[in-house]
């Protein structure tokens, strides 16, 4: 191999010599020599190392190279050849010693292009390449199954490389896409007290700003490429640098600030505007004549006076008519200018006034953008000019400018006051009058103020105007009964970063203002009652500054065909119909004059919702035929056929004060913790030893002890003994409550309702709770659901065993009246308090019914199967019936299979509502298949069963027994 390499080298030299003898040019000779040296450099071997190990029933050779080199593994008999497309330098002398059972010898070719291994036994070769590593596995003949995989650390390393490569690729693509996009020029406009930067954004690109310590960051939601040349030139002295960076699919612009800087940012249509303010010191310096350079460039004026500025800087003014002056030094000089009366007097001469005419003509000839419109109004409140200068009758006299006669100081002084509109001093005593003149005689005066309390928006209509205000999401709505023009541009310009967007929606008899907030704020609307709503002030602050009077809703269900709701509201305004552009739905808004009146929280009904409002009434109709009638003292909401309203009698039965709970949780746990016989003997001895007036209390303690152990019949008997004592009147209300609860739990809800109707109990939350449980026991599900709906806190104060009973029946009542939202809430409560093992089958049936109602058929079938396979035969029978009905509805079983399942269920379970429903389904199927004798036979026992069944759900008593069995198990 060495001789071959030497022959190749000498062949190159001989070719070069022949080229020289035949008269080839020096260039050809140089190409031959370069080819020789490139071949020599390409032959440099790649360093690497080899490791051979035998474990797990196979041997693995790992070749790790310094670079990624393509390889190929071939087999020729018992020789394994690993070829590389580049020479490698891997020591292989000791590989055979590492795994002598698999490899007898190993060597590397002299040119480093291959490694050859001699096998000591028959083996199957499996090769894997992972980056710079090559894995060669030697699998014996006894090997079965898939080949071995790569080590986990190698896989992890490859995954990290892939992720890093993907990130780099994404960043490269984003950078290339950003470069492909055209440059977006960032315009800069210099004013006496601030510099404005205008960022134009394409459609669909959002922006957010973050002001940290000495740094303002603008984050744009897209890969953009900004031209920051103008912004860097016109940057004020308190801006250190302006840079941009691309991070994936976002672009960030960093503005580094110096010192305490006042930043004002807002969005105007497709532009995002940043105002950077800077201070003007009191000392005066010579006025910079840089403004004259722009005029001299166009009018061929004489050279600039010697003021320390180089004449070659004048053409920079032609780069942009919006950037005045063009260099940062002139900006700093402009920042220190102060216009005083003596300076203004010098600029009043007749020869000096025409110098401002070319500038005004030049500005008038340039098209103005939408973002420059608010700029012309803002300097009027920022530039302080003396009053003697404002009324100048000589200004409009010159008809033609004379640039050659202008002095260097004149353009600079005129630049500070570019237009007569901007000469209004900030201390003008009547700015509102000027605003009204600009907006027109019939316009609404809008004023924006920011103070320590928050942001105030003031609207002056001049006449009494009812209004309404409410919130939807991050938008605040204002509705006025006035069609006067209202300029929302002042709100957008002066409100600051708090308000993201503001828009005006004209209505038929008024107008609506929608204000979108960038961060959560509390809104307050106030007005002077003596003015009857002529002036309104909307305030945004961290706290509500003015609390409105709460409005109430009165439900009228005397006639279900004309059921409606009424909102008492004196002197209501007009009714407006508007469309929310965000949600796309229609809202009905009723305005009102002062004082402030609104809904503290949202009121939801079936056909409509009353939104939370600060003032007025905002209605979100869920039905298209909702009608609103405005009376002198109220607003009536209804629809043809009446609204769907629940009973309003529950609110009347609520107690005004809290009552003592019937069951003490600590005493309940104490009774359960002690041994039954010992505790019972102690309580009986206490009854025997008690005085006659103390004996009812001792018996009441014994009754509570029996209830804690689930012995409700014994508790009922002790309560009846106390009630039979004519002298026991002190604890009559508690005793009757204990007696009523015991009767309801043992399945006598009628007796329990009689006890709860006693005047000694009265109307309180506990009585409403147990009335709901009694109604559930009687099958009066609608009434039970209304009772349970208003006693959530009373349920939470009960012992866990009673909580399970009440919550289970509340969930069943919600399911029976198809209140699936309430049933889902009760299911969550059961998950929190826990379900005893004996009650789980009954709970599974209810969960299955809820899942089936919500469309989760598979979950319902799983719950039904759990109940069917349980030891609770009543729950299993009900679950079997529901499972058969659901499977038939899903098409999983045919009619014959359904009938077979029902016949089996009717044979093994009898005596309750499950049997009645089963026989009813069987009778219907018999009739459909023309088996009329069987249909009549199935109807006969169903009629008998229905007449003998009580109107009480049989599972009601089961839930009581199963819940109580957990407490009496010990």
């Amino acid at each position: 191999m060495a001789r071959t390499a030497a022959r190749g080298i000498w062949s190159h030299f001989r070719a070069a010599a022949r080229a020289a003898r035949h008269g080839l040019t020096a260039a050809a000779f140089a190409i031959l020599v370069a080819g020789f040296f490139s071949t020599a450099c390409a032959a440099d071997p790649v360093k690497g190392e080899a490791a051979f190990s035998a474990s797990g029933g196979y041997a693995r050779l790992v070749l790790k190279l310094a670079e990624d080199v393509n390889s190929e593994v071939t087999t020729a008999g018992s020789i394994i050849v690993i070829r590389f497309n580049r020479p490698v330098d891997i020591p292989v002398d000791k590989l055979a010693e590492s795994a002598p059972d698999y490899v007898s010898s190993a060597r590397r070719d002299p040119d480093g292009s291959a490694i050859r291994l001699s096998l000591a036994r028959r083996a199957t070769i499996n090769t894997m390449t992972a980056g710079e590593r090559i894995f060669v596995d030697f699998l014996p003949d006894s090997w079965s199954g898939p080949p071995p995989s790569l080590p986990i650390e190698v896989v992890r390393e490859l995954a990290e490389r892939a992720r890093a490569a993907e990130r780099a690729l994404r960043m490269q693509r984003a950078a290339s896409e950003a470069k492909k996009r055209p440059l977006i020029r960032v315009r800069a406009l210099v004013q006496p007290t601030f510099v404005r930067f205008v960022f134009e954004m394409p459609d669909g690109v959002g922006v957010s700003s973050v002001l940290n310590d000495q740094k303002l960051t603008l984050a744009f939601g897209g890969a953009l490429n900004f031209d920051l040349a103008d912004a860097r030139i016109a940057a004020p002295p308190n801006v250190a640098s302006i840079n941009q960076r691309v991070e994936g699919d976002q672009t960030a612009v960093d503005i580094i600030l110096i010192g305490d800087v006042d930043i004002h940012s807002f969005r105007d249509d497709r532009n995002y505007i940043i105002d950077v303010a800077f201070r003007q010191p009191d000392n005066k310096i010579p006025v910079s004549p840089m403004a004259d350079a722009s005029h001299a460039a166009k009018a061929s004026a004489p050279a600039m006076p010697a003021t320390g500025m180089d004449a070659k800087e004048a053409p920079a003014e032609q780069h942009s008519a919006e950037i005045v002056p063009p260099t940062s030094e002139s900006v700093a000089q402009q920042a220190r200018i102060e216009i005083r009366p003596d300076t203004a007097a010098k600029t009043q001469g007749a020869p000096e006034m025409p110098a401002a005419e070319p500038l005004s003509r030049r500005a008038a000839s340039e098209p103005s953008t939408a973002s420059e419109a608010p700029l012309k109004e803002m300097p009027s409140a920022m530039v302080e000019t003396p009053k003697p200068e404002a009324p100048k009758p000589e200004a409009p006299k010159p008809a033609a400018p004379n640039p050659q006669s202008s002095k260097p100081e004149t353009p600079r002084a005129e630049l500070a006051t570019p237009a007569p509109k901007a000469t209004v001093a900030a201390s003008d005593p009547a700015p509102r009058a000027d605003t009204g003149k600009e907006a027109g005689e019939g316009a609404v005066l809008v004023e924006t103020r920011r103070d320590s309390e928050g942001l105030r928006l003031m609207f002056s209509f001049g006449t009494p105007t009812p209004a309404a205000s409410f919130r939807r999401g991050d938008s605040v709505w204002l509705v006025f009964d006035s069609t006067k023009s209202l300029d929302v541009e002042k709100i957008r310009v002066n409100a600051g970063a708090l308000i993201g967007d503001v828009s005006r929606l004209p209505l038929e008899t008024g107008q609506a203002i929608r204000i979108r907030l960038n961060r959560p704020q509390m809104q307050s609307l106030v007005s002077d009652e003596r003015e009857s709503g002529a002036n309104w002030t909307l305030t945004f602050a961290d706290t509500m500054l003015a609390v409105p009077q709460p409005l109430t809703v009165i439900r009228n269900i005397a006639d279900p065909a004309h059921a409606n709701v009424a909102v008492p509201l004196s002197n209501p305004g007009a009714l407006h119909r508007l469309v929310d552009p965000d949600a796309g739905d229609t809202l009905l808004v009723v305005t009102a004059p002062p004082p402030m009146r609104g809904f503290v929280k949202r009121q939801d009904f079936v056909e409509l919702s009353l939104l939370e409002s600060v003032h007025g009434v905002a209605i979100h109709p869920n039905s298209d035929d909702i009608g609103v009638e405005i009376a002198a003292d109220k607003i009536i909401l209804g629809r043809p056929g009446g609204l769907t309203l629940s009973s309003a009698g529950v609110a009347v039965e609520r107690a005004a004060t809290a009552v003592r709970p019937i069951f003490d949780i600590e005493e309940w746990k104490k009774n359960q913790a002690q041994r039954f016989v010992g505790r019972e003997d102690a309580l009986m001895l206490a009854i025997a030893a008690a005085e006659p007036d103390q004996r009812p209390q001792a018996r009441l303690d014994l009754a509570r002890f029996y209830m804690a152990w689930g012995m409700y019949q014994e508790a009922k008997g002790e309560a009846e003994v106390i009630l039979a004592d004519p002298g026991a009147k002190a604890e009559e209300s508690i005793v009757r409550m204990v007696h009523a609860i015991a009767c309801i739990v043992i399945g006598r809800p009628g007796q329990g309702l009689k006890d709860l109707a006693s005047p000694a109990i009265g109307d309180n939350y506990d009585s409403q709770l147990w009335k709901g449980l009694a109604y559930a026991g009687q099958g009066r599900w609608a009434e039970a659901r209304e009772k349970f709906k208003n006693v959530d806190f009373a349920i939470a104060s009960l012992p866990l065993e009673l909580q399970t009973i009440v919550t289970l029946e509340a969930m069943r009542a919600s399911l029976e009246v198809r209140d699936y939202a309430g049933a889902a809430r009760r299911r969550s409560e059961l998950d929190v308090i826990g379900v005893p093992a004996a009650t789980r089958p009954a709970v599974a049936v209810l969960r299955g019914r809820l899942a089936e109602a919500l469309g989760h058929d598979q979950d319902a079938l799983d719950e039904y199967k759990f109940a069917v396979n349980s030891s609770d035969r009543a729950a299993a029978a009900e679950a079997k019936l529901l499972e058969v009905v659901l499977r038939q509805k899903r098409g999983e079983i045919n009619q014959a299979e359904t009938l077979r399942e029902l016949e089996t269920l009717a044979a093994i379970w009898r005596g309750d509502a499950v049997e009645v429903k089963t026989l009813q389904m069987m009778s219907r199927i018999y009739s459909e298949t023309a088996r009329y004798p069987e249909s009549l036979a199935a109807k006969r026992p169903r009629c008998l069963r229905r007449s003998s069944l009580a109107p009480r759900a049989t599972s009601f008593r089961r839930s009581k027994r199963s819940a109580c069995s957990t407490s009496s198990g010990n």
Side-chain angles (χ1 to χ4, degrees):
M1 186 61 67
R3 289 193 299 271
T4 303
R7 285 196 300 269
I9 294 173
W10 283 110
S11 64
H12 283 286
F13 276 113
R14 284 195 296 270
R18 285 195 300 271
R21 283 197 304 267
H22 286 83
L24 292 180
T25 62
F29 182 76
I31 293 174
L32 289 176
V33 174
F36 164 73
F37 281 105
S38 62
T39 305
C41 295
D44 292 340
V46 179
K47 298 292 184 180
E49 59 182 13
F52 210 155
S53 62
S55 62
Y58 69 98
R60 168 167 287 182
L61 172 62
V62 181
L63 303 178
K64 185 176 181 181
L65 301 173
E67 301 177 13
D68 189 5
V69 179
N70 293 334
S71 61
E72 181 185 4
V73 180
T74 59
T75 304
S78 62
I79 303 300
I80 306 298
V81 182
I82 305 175
R83 290 188 173 86
F84 306 94
N85 64 345
R86 292 177 56 187
V88 297
D89 184 6
I90 302 177
V92 296
D93 300 336
K94 299 182 179 181
L95 287 181
E97 300 177 1
S98 301
D101 295 339
Y102 291 88
V103 176
S104 60
S105 64
R107 70 179 181 86
R108 180 172 62 91
D109 290 354
D111 59 353
S113 61
I115 295 176
R116 303 176 186 274
L117 304 175
S118 176
L119 296 179
R121 57 184 295 184
R122 293 182 58 184
T124 303
I125 305 302
N126 179 54
T127 306
M128 295 177 291
T129 303
E132 300 84 5
R133 297 181 180 90
I134 303 171
F135 295 85
V136 181
D137 295 336
F138 298 84
L139 308 179
D141 294 339
S142 59
W143 181 268
S144 61
S149 60
L150 292 174
I152 187 63
E153 58 272 8
V154 176
V155 176
R156 189 179 297 111
E157 180 183 353
L158 293 177
E160 290 294 336
R161 288 187 182 183
R163 283 192 290 267
E166 186 178 359
R167 285 194 298 268
L169 181 60
R170 284 200 302 266
M171 295 180 64
Q172 183 180 2
R173 288 178 178 175
S176 61
E177 290 294 332
K179 291 180 180 179
K180 291 179 182 178
R181 295 195 177 190
L183 285 176
I184 302 176
R185 178 188 171 194
V186 178
R187 292 176 293 152
L189 301 97
V190 179
Q191 297 300 314
T193 57
F194 67 94
V195 176
R196 169 167 293 183
F197 302 107
V198 181
F199 293 83
E200 296 183 2
M201 297 183 300
D203 294 333
V205 176
V207 60
S208 61
S209 60
V210 178
L211 180 59
N212 293 327
D213 187 16
Q214 307 297 323
K215 182 180 179 181
L216 174 65
T217 302
L218 305 179
F220 297 88
L224 306 178
N225 191 10
F226 290 107
D227 183 5
L228 301 174
D230 296 344
R232 289 166 179 163
I233 292 176
N238 50 8
V239 173
S241 63
I242 303 177
N243 300 307
Q244 68 173 335
R245 49 190 169 87
V246 178
E247 298 178 349
D249 56 350
Q250 293 186 348
T251 303
V253 176
D254 297 329
I255 303 177
I256 308 300
L257 307 174
I258 301 175
D260 188 9
V261 184
D262 186 11
I263 302 294
H264 180 71
S265 61
F266 59 94
R267 183 162 185 169
D268 182 15
D269 197 13
R270 293 176 57 184
N271 300 325
Y272 194 76
I273 301 174
I274 304 293
D275 291 342
V276 182
F278 54 86
R279 297 181 180 179
Q280 295 184 357
D282 296 335
N283 57 337
K284 297 195 300 178
I285 66 170
V287 179
S288 174
M290 290 306 299
D292 190 55
S294 61
H295 307 314
K298 296 181 67 177
S300 301
M304 294 173 52
T307 56
M309 298 294 296
D310 194 358
K312 64 182 179 181
E313 296 179 359
E317 187 71 24
Q318 301 176 2
H319 181 64
S320 174
E322 301 170 82
I323 304 173
V324 180
T327 61
S328 58
E329 291 82 358
S330 59
V331 175
Q333 292 176 2
Q334 182 188 7
R336 293 191 290 271
I337 290 176
E338 180 180 6
I339 302 175
R340 295 178 180 263
D342 53 351
T343 307
K346 296 179 182 179
T347 61
Q348 290 179 1
E352 301 171 357
M353 288 301 298
E357 187 67 21
L359 180 62
S360 61
R361 288 185 178 180
R362 181 180 176 185
S365 63
E366 295 176 357
S368 60
T369 60
S371 62
E372 296 174 3
L375 181 63
K376 298 178 180 179
E377 300 175 4
M378 294 183 64
S380 63
M382 297 182 180
V383 181
E384 181 177 357
T385 59
K387 292 183 180 179
E389 187 184 3
K392 249 187 183 179
E394 294 83 5
K397 285 183 180 180
N402 188 6
Q404 297 180 355
S405 62
S406 60
K407 294 183 180 181
E409 293 82 355
T410 301
R412 187 60 180 174
E414 294 298 332
L415 182 61
T417 58
K421 290 173 62 178
T423 59
V424 180
S427 59
D428 194 347
R432 295 169 64 90
D434 297 340
T435 307
K437 291 179 182 179
E438 294 177 4
E441 296 295 335
V444 181
L445 301 181
V446 181
E447 186 176 353
T448 304
R449 293 181 183 176
R450 288 190 288 179
D451 51 22
S452 59
E453 292 183 348
L455 174 64
R456 299 179 186 271
L457 307 179
M458 289 167 283
F459 305 89
S460 298
F461 293 88
T463 58
T465 304
S469 179
F470 60 95
R471 180 193 294 265
R472 295 195 78 186
D474 58 351
S475 299
V476 175
W477 287 82
L478 279 171
V479 181
F480 297 109
D481 289 355
S482 174
T483 57
K484 294 181 179 180
S485 61
L486 193 152
D487 186 12
V488 299
E489 190 66 26
K490 298 180 179 179
I491 303 176
R492 181 182 292 110
V493 172
N494 301 324
L498 174 63
I499 293 180
D501 187 23
V502 57
S503 58
R504 175 180 176 270
L505 279 74
L507 305 177
E508 184 176 354
T509 58
Q511 57 186 317
I513 309 299
R514 186 184 62 148
I515 302 173
R516 186 184 301 277
L517 302 179
N518 287 332
R519 63 177 185 270
Q521 289 281 285
M522 301 294 292
Q523 66 187 95
S524 303
L525 186 66
V526 295
S527 179
D528 193 351
E529 297 186 27
R530 293 173 296 181
E531 300 178 356
S532 299
N535 298 317
W536 295 90
T537 301
L538 178 65
T539 305
F540 295 101
D542 294 333
T543 59
M544 182 172 287
L545 302 181
V547 180
Q549 301 177 7
L551 293 177
T552 58
V553 179
I554 300 176
R555 292 180 289 183
N556 181 15
I557 56 174
D559 184 4
H562 299 85
N564 57 61
V565 296
V567 180
L569 182 66
S570 59
N571 300 323
L575 172 65
H576 302 275
R577 183 183 297 269
L578 58 90
V579 177
D580 189 346
D582 292 336
D585 52 3
T586 303
L587 300 179
L588 305 177
V589 181
V590 179
T591 58
M596 302 303 105
R597 294 159 292 174
F599 282 100
V600 178
K601 71 175 189 175
R602 180 186 178 110
Q603 305 286 333
D604 291 320
F605 297 92
V606 177
E607 289 90 358
L608 58 93
S609 298
L610 298 175
L611 305 181
E612 179 183 352
S613 62
V614 174
H615 182 57
V617 179
I619 307 157
H620 176 245
N622 300 328
S623 179
D624 296 335
D625 55 355
I626 294 296
V628 181
E629 179 182 353
I630 300 178
D633 58 346
K634 61 183 176 180
I635 302 172
I636 302 175
L637 308 176
R639 66 186 295 263
L643 297 175
T644 304
L645 301 175
S646 58
S647 175
V650 177
V652 183
E653 299 180 358
R654 293 183 176 180
T657 59
V659 296
R660 186 178 62 179
I662 302 174
F663 302 103
D664 186 1
I665 303 298
E666 297 299 330
E667 182 184 0
W668 186 282
K669 294 180 179 179
K670 179 180 177 182
N671 289 331
Q672 290 182 341
Q674 297 183 7
R675 297 183 61 84
F676 177 82
V677 176
R679 180 61 177 167
E680 183 184 26
D681 292 344
L683 292 174
M684 288 184 175
L685 291 176
I687 295 173
E691 298 294 331
D693 56 340
Q694 301 293 330
R695 194 166 297 159
Q697 181 61 41
R699 289 190 176 277
L700 183 60
D701 293 340
L702 181 60
R704 288 173 172 167
F705 167 74
Y706 284 140
M707 296 188 75
W709 281 82
M711 303 173 65
Y712 294 100
Q713 289 84 354
E714 288 78 358
K716 172 179 175 293
E718 292 294 335
E720 290 176 349
V721 172
I722 300 174
L723 293 175
D725 187 0
K729 298 296 182 182
E731 302 291 340
E732 182 179 1
S733 60
I734 300 297
V735 175
R736 285 202 174 273
M737 284 295 301
V738 172
H739 186 264
I741 294 171
C743 292
I744 294 172
V745 172
I746 65 177
R748 299 180 183 179
Q751 182 61 41
L753 289 174
K754 291 181 181 179
D755 290 332
L756 295 175
S758 174
I761 294 178
D763 293 326
N764 54 65
Y765 288 113
D766 287 346
S767 66
Q768 301 306 311
L769 167 65
W770 300 111
K771 283 181 181 179
L773 194 62
Y775 290 151
Q778 292 180 340
R780 299 159 61 179
W781 302 113
E783 298 174 74
R785 180 245 183 185
E786 288 297 324
K787 297 295 182 182
F788 287 136
K789 188 171 62 176
N790 299 280
V791 291
D792 289 340
F793 75 96
I795 296 177
S797 64
L798 294 175
L800 289 179
E801 291 79 9
L802 295 180
Q803 282 190 43
T804 304
I805 295 174
V806 175
T807 307
L808 187 63
E809 294 306 313
M811 181 178 178
R812 191 186 307 276
S814 299
L815 286 174
E816 294 295 340
V817 299
R818 298 183 180 181
D819 179 16
Y820 302 123
R825 185 163 56 89
R826 299 300 181 185
R827 180 189 60 184
S828 301
E829 294 175 1
L830 283 174
D831 295 338
V832 173
I833 63 179
V835 179
T839 317
R840 289 174 186 171
V843 175
V845 174
L846 298 183
R847 288 177 175 172
R849 291 179 57 185
L850 177 60
E852 182 179 355
L854 298 178
H856 305 158
D857 293 346
Q858 191 58 46
D859 295 340
L861 290 176
D862 294 340
E863 297 289 348
Y864 292 153
K865 289 178 181 178
F866 174 80
V868 168
N869 297 328
S870 66
S871 59
D872 189 346
R873 301 317 306 158
E878 184 179 2
K880 187 63 177 179
L881 176 62
L882 295 172
E883 180 188 10
V884 171
V885 174
L886 180 57
R887 292 180 62 191
Q888 183 189 21
K889 183 176 67 175
R890 288 166 54 90
E892 296 181 1
I893 55 177
N894 54 27
Q895 193 177 54
E897 294 173 341
T898 302
L899 184 60
R900 188 183 310 111
E901 295 285 351
L902 293 176
E903 289 174 346
T904 304
L905 181 59
I908 64 176
W909 185 260
R910 300 196 175 199
D912 63 355
V914 175
E915 182 191 6
V916 174
K917 294 179 181 179
T918 304
L919 295 176
Q920 183 179 2
M921 292 183 61
M922 291 172 55
S923 176
R924 185 179 68 251
I925 295 176
Y926 285 146
S927 300
E928 293 175 356
T929 55
R931 298 169 60 180
Y932 300 109
E934 289 89 343
S935 176
L936 294 175
K939 288 182 179 180
R940 186 179 299 110
R942 178 165 59 90
C943 297
L944 297 177
R945 294 287 188 274
R946 174 165 292 185
S947 61
S948 62
L949 284 177
R952 163 178 49 87
T954 57
S955 58
F956 173 75
R957 186 182 298 178
R958 292 200 313 270
S959 64
K960 308 300 182 295
R961 290 198 302 265
S962 58
C964 300
S965 63
T966 59
S967 62
S968 58
N970 56 348

